[in-house]
Amino acid sequence: MLLPNHYYIVILIIDVLRQTYSSIINMGIYFMTYVLGKAELLGTFSGAINLALIIGLAFLPALVAKHKGYYKLNFSGYVISALGRGVVVVGYIGSVPLMLVGTAIGAIGMSPWQGNLNALVAECSEHTFLKYGKRIDGTMYSCTSMGLKLGGGLGIAIVGWLLDLGGFDGQLAVQSQSCINMLHFMYLWLPMIINIIIVVLLTQLNVEKANEKLRAEKAIIKK
């Protein structure tokens, strides 16, 4: 009953990607140190992310009410997040403050998903109940935590693999050009690519509409 629910599978994949994204962003210390030349900037960028998430979560209840659900809100949020990471890429050309603004925009766009994930899992569980007449809420929530852990571990592994592929050497004060190029890809381009993939996946996550359709069908059958 769990696996045929493709909405739930989409949530798992997105969570793995989201945790991978977080691990890659956390490798920003390498980018700040060897590309921007200021390791202390990591604290500034991390602060911008956290502040943006707090602001986004504060307005989440009002936004859910306005959008009458989660589908459009999550989709719009990740479109904004992908654009924000695009601003980071543009800002790298010559404006650290613009990179900071793009980072904050990206975090705000991600806040709806972070705030309503459990509600989405509940909708997925309701979808299974409407189709099979049985509830597996506990199993779904347990498997969601698996997605978080898998994504976190995979993200850390990807960071290590890419750094090794780029030729990173922790003993060097100045890294090779191949390593710098890899750091550019990892911090500037890869987060944006992940967000774009999530946007595409979110087009397949209108579980609320699917549940409304199932309820309507059941009502017709009862009549």
Side-chain angles (χ1 to χ4, degrees):
M1 287 188 293
L2 184 68
L3 294 179
N5 189 330
H6 82 273
Y7 299 106
Y8 184 70
I9 301 303
V10 170
I11 287 179
L12 276 182
I13 295 172
I14 290 176
D15 251 358
V16 169
L17 288 171
R18 189 168 66 92
Q19 293 303 311
T20 301
Y21 173 99
S22 296
S23 297
I24 291 170
I25 291 298
N26 289 335
M27 60 70 61
I29 185 62
Y30 297 103
F31 185 84
M32 306 301 170
T33 301
Y34 298 106
V35 178
L36 297 183
K38 294 181 179 179
E40 61 272 16
L41 282 175
L42 180 64
T44 303
F45 277 78
S46 297
I49 291 172
N50 291 331
L51 180 59
L53 284 173
I54 290 172
I55 293 173
L57 290 171
F59 287 96
L60 184 59
L63 290 172
V64 170
K66 180 180 179 180
H67 288 272
K68 298 180 180 179
Y70 313 111
Y71 174 68
K72 290 181 181 179
L73 181 57
N74 287 329
F75 179 79
S76 300
Y78 261 95
V79 169
I80 291 172
S81 187
L83 292 174
R85 293 310 302 183
V87 172
V88 173
V89 174
V90 174
Y92 173 68
I93 296 174
S95 176
V96 171
L98 186 57
M99 290 181 67
L100 195 60
V101 170
T103 297
I105 292 173
I108 286 178
M110 295 172 69
S111 61
W113 177 271
Q114 185 162 329
N116 63 39
L117 174 59
N118 286 337
L120 271 176
V121 175
E123 284 286 348
C124 284
S125 181
E126 182 69 9
H127 186 74
T128 296
F129 174 72
L130 290 170
K131 289 188 72 173
Y132 301 108
K134 293 184 179 180
R135 294 194 178 278
I136 54 172
D137 304 58
T139 303
M140 280 198 171
Y141 280 106
S142 296
C143 288
T144 300
S145 67
M146 177 193 71
L148 296 175
K149 293 170 184 175
L150 178 61
L154 182 61
I156 293 172
I158 288 174
V159 168
W161 293 332
L162 292 180
L163 285 175
D164 186 59
L165 184 63
F168 174 76
D169 186 344
Q171 302 299 316
L172 299 177
V174 178
Q175 298 297 322
S176 65
Q177 188 57 49
S178 65
C179 180
I180 297 300
N181 291 340
M182 181 59 76
L183 290 174
H184 285 164
F185 171 72
M186 291 172 67
Y187 193 78
L188 297 176
W189 295 100
L190 191 52
M192 183 174 66
I193 292 170
I194 289 175
N195 280 348
I196 291 173
I197 293 173
I198 291 177
V199 167
V200 174
L201 288 170
L202 284 171
T203 63
Q204 305 300 312
L205 195 55
N206 198 348
V207 63
E208 296 158 284
K209 183 177 180 180
N211 286 350
E212 290 176 3
K213 182 179 178 181
L214 285 173
R215 291 189 188 97
E217 290 173 352
K218 285 181 175 292
I220 293 174
I221 293 173
K222 285 181 179 180
K223 289 179 181 180

